[in-house]
Each structure stands twice: as structure tokens, then as C-alpha cells.
Amino acid sequence: MPFQQLKLIEPLMRALKKQGYVKPTPIQEKAIPPLLAGRDLMGIAQTGTGKTAAFTLPILQLLSQDPDPLVPTSPKVLILTPTRELAMQIDESVAAYGEFLRVRHAVVFGGVGQNPQVRALSHGVDFLTATPGRLLDLINQRHVRLDGVKFFVLDEADRMLDMGFIRDVRKIVALLPHHRHSLFFSATMAPEVTDLARTLLKDPFRVEVTPERKTVEKIEQRVLFVDQGNKDKLLVQLLRQDHLTRTLVFTLMKHKANKVAHMLSQNGIPADAIHGNKSQSARVRALENFKNGRVSVLVATDIAARGIDIDDISHVINYDLPNEPETYVHRIGRTARAGAEGTAYSFCSGDERSYLTDIQRLIGMPIPVMDHALHSESAKNETRQALSPQQRSRGGGGGRRFGHSSGQGGHGRSGGGRPFGGSSHGGSRFAPRRPYRR
Ligand code: AMP
């Protein structure tokens, strides 16, 4: 379907042309008509599907017909999003899609001085994109009021819940006018997410896009079995050998992201790290350097990487395998954005072997093994399960990951609740390895 069929106004069509978009993505195709007709929307979609344009374009179109003048400190559109990176990207998208409508927009998030944000709001804006904490601060100081909001977008609602923002979100929602147009996006629909949606939306139109399978199939995936101690060396070898023009490397922990970036730089591979402990300006700088090609490798943790909108990522490397298989899909989906092709390499050590099994089960196919000089046959053949966070917090020894009652390789219940024959304080090589705090 071409964009023409969506009946978007000329200034929007011009902006889309400038962006180089040829046809709408599935979520745009499904969501734009009901939104233009004034319906509330419940969108089940993740970043990377084109959802930002799916909600921004119809709002811009409806606003272009709105005769009310701008009022200082009182935005007409409020977009709430969990992370600063995402907030900045949405604001950039609003600017891009609204370029020929002279839309006024501002973005507010914590971690930076509030004065420029306050100044921007004081002139009056159409669109305000915000993270919840900073928005509440500004509301409390009377730099923003929400009684003029006509469109409310709650983006990444599941992440809002995960990150503990639900109370802030509810406080903000309570300040919105009753009569408004509401849009709700979430990658997943857990019961709490559904509950929240129900309180926000009126007779919503439901749109679901599940790009995972398709995305995953488009990405060339390889698993590299390697011992934990050889991962650094393998990473350097891989980054030197292949034509990895723009690579996102994932680690589970913040400190590991720093260590890996430092290690790469010392080996002559310019790299930067991005994670929650970095200051906002350091994160922005790292992203900019990566976008403009000054560094070709960005090392990130999952939360920091979520929502980063960088096109042309040629490779994703999982330095650590995630213990949640869905995270794997999110990570590798960073490459092969909007039709591009990409490659994902995953390092898998013996203690991560069971995570690989879970991932393959989720994506419904085996990931081909890549041969390399540091290949670990023992990692490949490892059959024991890694421990879950709950098991670790109970002492690290007892039980198998899925609660199977018997062990493999002769270590069953007879091991006194220590199926791998390790000590209850992590003598098992599986117990202490996996950091779960991110
Ligand atoms: P989003 O899911 O909103 O983060 O968008 C993901 C990426 O897809 C962004 O880089 C957008 O610029 C891009 N994009 C959005 N819509 C289209 C489209 N119709 N055609 C091509 N690229 C698009």
C-alpha cells in the first residue's frame, strides 16, 4: 500500500518523501486510519516497527486542523516514554515529520539541567515528549500544566511498569483532561499492562504487529561457542576480521560494558559504552560518535540500548547471552531495521548453554554454529542448566532451572539438592557466574 492511500495531507507527504519512506510499515497501515477517524488506540508493537510515525503522523494531521492558539506551558500533545534516549528520538521524529507544518515541540527528561527545558515550554508547544519523573518535577514547579492536552500517548507501557514508573504515570494521567484522544503502546500485553490500558482508553481500536519472527528470519544469526575467559580475544578477532562497519555489542552488566569498550580501545578498535550509570551528556556523546562513525563499536546494556534509534547497524554481537530469550530477539532486532539486512553473532560459554536452548525454542529454529579458532567443544556440549535468579538467591545450590526433579549426568537428587555436585555457595561453576542485576 502506498502512503497516498492513507490520505495524509501534503506537508506530511512531503516530510515522508524527505525521509525516504516509500510505503507505510504494517503498524502505520493499520493504525493511521482509525487514529485519523478519532479513535483511541491500543498498539501492541515494539520499537523498530515504525510506531513513532504511526502515532505522530495522524496527530500532526489532526492538530493541523486545530484552531486553538498555543498557550505558554500548556502542551496540546503529551507523549510519555520511559527513557531519555527514546524521548529524544521521538522528539526528533516529531520535528522531522512536522517539518512542513511548523510544529512547535519540546522534550524533557531528567539528568540534565531543567532551565532550557523550562524556557522551551514557556513559549508554548504543540508537542511535549517527556519521561515521567522530570515531567512531574516540572508540573510541581508549575512550569507545565496538562489541562490543555488533547492527545496523550503512552509509549512502551510495559517498560514503564518494569522500570517502576507506574505511580508517576498514574499521577500524570490524573492531571489530564477527561476529554482527550489517548494512544497506548506496549511490546507485550501482560495483565498489569492490560489493566493500565483499560483505565486510559475509551473503546480503543486494537492493532497488533509481531515483527519478531520476520525480523529474526531476515537476520543472519551465528552462535560461537567459547569459554568465558576467551570472549575478549574472540571479540577482538571478530571485529578485526569481518567487515563490521557499525556494531552493537551487548553485555549484561554495566561494568562489563565499560570493561569491554576499554579493552577494545586498547586493542586499537575505537569503542564506546552506553549504560545507565553514564551521565546524560556522556550517553549523548557516545551515541553521536557511533552515529557519525567516529566509533564503529558501541557496547551497551539492554536497558540503555532499548529504544536507541540508530539505522544501519551492520552487526549485533551478544558478548553475554541474555537469560530471557525475548531479550535476544530485541537485541538482534537492532540490526535489520526497516528492511535492512544484518548479522548477529552470539557468544555462548558453557554456563550460558541452557540460555541458548531457550532462545532457539523461542525463535523456533536452531542458530547455526560458526567455527572459529577459539571454539569450545565443552561449551557446545554442555547440558547442565544455569541457575535462575530465584535459585541463586535461595543459596545457589539446589534445583534445576525448570524445576526438573532429576539431574542429568548422574547428578540427581542424590546430590543433596546440589544437582551439579558443587558446593551450596557457588562451588558449582554455574552458580555464581550469571549476574542478574542490570
Ligand atoms: P520506530 O519503530 O518508530 O522506532 O521506527 C523504526 C525505524 O524505522 C526508524 O528509523 C524510522 O525512521 C524508520 N521508519 C519508520 N517508518 C518507516 C517507513 N514507512 N519506511 C521506512 N522506514 C521507516
Side-chain angles (χ1 to χ4, degrees), residues 3 21-25 28 46-53 97 309 311 337-338:
F3 270 111
Y21 298 176
V22 179
K23 62 187 184 68
T25 65
Q28 291 162 6
Q46 37 178 268
T47 297
T49 52
K51 70 181 157 81
T52 314
Y97 305 141
D309 180 16
D311 293 327
R337 276 275 178 103

Side-chain angles (χ1 to χ4, degrees), residues 410-425:
H411 298 289
R413 281 176 168 167
S414 58
R418 285 180 277 130
F420 311 135
S423 84
S424 63
H425 292 99

Side-chain angles (χ1 to χ4, degrees), residues 2 24 40 78 84 133-135 145 152 240 242 265 291 308 337 342 356 388 413 420-421 429 431:
D40 277 7
L78 174 65
R84 318 176 221 197
R134 172 59 60 96
L135 178 63
R145 35 189 270 235
F152 172 58
R240 283 208 180 125
D242 218 319
S265 300
K291 278 187 184 181
I308 298 176
R337 276 275 178 103
L356 180 66
S388 72
R413 281 176 168 167
F420 311 135
R429 40 195 282 265

